Amino acid sequence: MKRCGWLIGLLWGEQAFAAAQPANDMGSGTLMQMLLLAAFALIFYFVIIRPQSKRAKEHQQLVTALQKGDEVITTGGILGKITRVTDNFFMMIIAEGVEVPVQKNAIAASVPKGTLKSI
């Protein structure tokens, strides 16, 4: 029971099972809760936050490196060739005589030159 009470106290707070534990174990339960919280924070950082910021940085480098004449694919799946670059938009030719503005953050990837001709 003492072992089970410690586990439940660790997961749901020690006050619910404080009566079942001796008084000298109260400090270790609080320490374990703090260590568990710190471990979850580290796992959260390395599994979610760090990879996302790395992807965002790579995407920002991709967008800043694009220039007139590059062939790109948008997040919507539209393949086109960049004809003009402004601060927030690219002008893109997607078909003969069809030019559309595309936001810079809507570019998913850069494709090798000649991809449009091969399709």
Side-chain angles (χ1 to χ4, degrees):
M1 182 66 185
K2 183 178 178 181
R3 186 179 212 180
C4 182
W6 177 81
L7 179 62
I8 293 172
L10 179 67
L11 296 175
W12 286 286
E14 67 184 38
Q15 288 146 357
F17 292 93
Q21 296 179 356
N24 59 0
D25 286 344
M26 295 291 277
S28 66
T30 303
L31 178 64
M32 288 300 291
Q33 285 180 349
M34 292 298 218
L35 289 175
L36 186 63
L37 182 63
F40 280 136
L42 283 173
I43 291 170
F44 186 77
Y45 173 76
F46 283 109
V47 172
I48 297 174
I49 296 173
R50 190 168 181 232
Q52 178 60 30
S53 64
K54 186 177 179 182
R55 278 191 298 269
K57 184 178 178 182
E58 289 172 355
H59 184 261
Q60 184 64 32
Q61 289 174 350
L62 167 75
V63 169
T64 56
L66 290 174
Q67 55 190 350
K68 181 179 176 179
D70 288 343
E71 295 179 6
V72 295
I73 188 163
T74 66
T75 54
I78 299 172
L79 185 65
K81 187 174 189 176
I82 296 174
T83 58
R84 192 174 38 183
V85 179
T86 62
D87 288 338
N88 296 322
F89 291 90
F90 292 116
M91 290 303 288
M92 218 170 77
I93 291 181
I94 58 174
E96 189 69 32
V98 180
E99 189 174 23
V100 294
V102 177
Q103 284 186 331
K104 285 188 174 184
N105 62 358
I107 301 297
S110 177
V111 294
K113 291 188 178 186
T115 304
L116 283 173
K117 292 180 182 177
S118 67
I119 294 179

